[in-house]
Amino acid sequence: NAGVTQTPKFRVLKTGQSMTLLCAQDMNHEYMYWYRQDPGMGLRLIHYSVGEGTTAKGEVPDGYNVSRLKKQNFLLGLESAAPSQTSVYFCASSAATPNTEAFFGQGTRLTVV
Amino acid sequence: AQKVTQAQTEISVVEKEDVTLDCVYETRDTTYYLFWYKQPPSGELVFLIRRNSFDEQNEISGRYSWNFQKSTSSFNFTITASQVVDSAVYFCALSDTGRRALTFGSGTRLQVQP
């Protein structure tokens, strides 16, 4: 009964370091998303994918890259972390049919110092 | 562009009071979907309800009810007889038929005092 799993749950990075956040879903969902949540701003879409091998930019893509090499995995990369990327990151997935909800991972709290 | 506005930043009520969380949305799409999610202090996002743009039937589920009015672009959420366990941040969200990605409001923090 895993659903959407994010790895890691917490991370502290130094400015300029790189890292990859992993999102895995076991529901055979076509669509996957990465959001960031900052205080008072709700969740904002970073990148998304409508299927294996495809990715697209969301509202706040700068400083991030993504890959969807396997249907069940969606990776979010930070090549050179900046303090402005301190946030809580959520991965989500949803089925191809329109009238379905998105399922979210438990979140990754990232601090860049 | 889509937009969701939750004008109430924080609401504090005493247990057993009724409380309504407001949500106003903007979209140019004729077909769209509205959602409410709950984020308790533990941080996860919990799905509560979804509505299609062509289904204005309001819904009651236990202590929860939702009022969708297309004419005013509103999708409000009411908790009847609130409980301490209802304390959380509540997000209203909107998606389209293309990306399916959610556009979130900024959230309303509900505190229910015993």
Side-chain angles (χ1 to χ4, degrees), chain A residues 31 33 35 37 40-43 45 48 50 57-59 90 94-104 106, chain B residues 33 35 37 39 42-45 47 50-52 89 91 95-107:
Chain A
Y31 290 69
Y33 314 88
Y35 295 89
Q37 182 179 20
M41 300 186 71
L43 281 78
L45 182 68
Y48 66 100
V50 300
K57 294 180 180 180
E59 278 74 52
F90 285 95
S94 65
T97 49
N99 190 24
T100 56
E101 69 273 22
F103 292 81
F104 285 81
Q106 75 275 36
Chain B
Y33 306 90
F35 301 81
Y37 282 84
Q39 187 175 43
S42 51
E44 74 273 23
L45 284 153
F47 164 74
R50 64 174 175 269
R51 265 291 172 267
N52 306 329
V89 179
F91 290 99
S95 77
D96 57 31
T97 56
R99 302 180 314 175
R100 312 285 172 72
L102 295 167
T103 298
F104 282 85
S106 54

Side-chain angles (χ1 to χ4, degrees), chain A residues 46-73:
Chain A
I46 304 172
H47 286 281
Y48 66 100
S49 168
V50 300
E52 181 179 322
T54 70
T55 63
K57 294 180 180 180
E59 278 74 52
V60 289
D62 294 343
Y64 305 96
N65 57 75
V66 288
S67 64
R68 182 103 181 264
L69 298 179
K70 293 183 178 180
K71 186 177 183 179
Q72 64 268 33
N73 295 337

Side-chain angles (χ1 to χ4, degrees), chain A residues 3-8 20-26 32-34 67-68 70-76 90-93 103-106 108:
Chain A
V4 179
T5 303
Q6 292 181 229
T7 310
T20 300
L21 281 67
L22 172 62
C23 177
Q25 52 98 0
D26 61 3
M32 296 188 74
Y33 314 88
W34 276 106
S67 64
R68 182 103 181 264
K70 293 183 178 180
K71 186 177 183 179
Q72 64 268 33
N73 295 337
F74 194 30
L75 279 62
L76 177 70
F90 285 95
C91 175
S93 70
F103 292 81
F104 285 81
Q106 75 275 36
T108 296

Side-chain angles (χ1 to χ4, degrees), chain B residues 43-89:
Chain B
E44 74 273 23
L45 284 153
V46 179
F47 164 74
L48 295 176
I49 192 172
R50 64 174 175 269
R51 265 291 172 267
N52 306 329
S53 54
F54 44 87
D55 177 9
E56 289 193 69
Q57 183 177 3
N58 294 319
E59 180 170 335
I60 297 175
S61 176
R63 297 186 297 109
Y64 297 166
S65 62
W66 290 269
N67 185 345
F68 175 33
Q69 292 194 343
K70 213 168 175 179
S71 60
T72 56
S73 298
S74 64
F75 186 41
N76 298 337
F77 171 37
T78 297
I79 302 175
T80 302
S82 60
Q83 300 176 1
V84 173
V85 293
D86 295 327
S87 297
V89 179

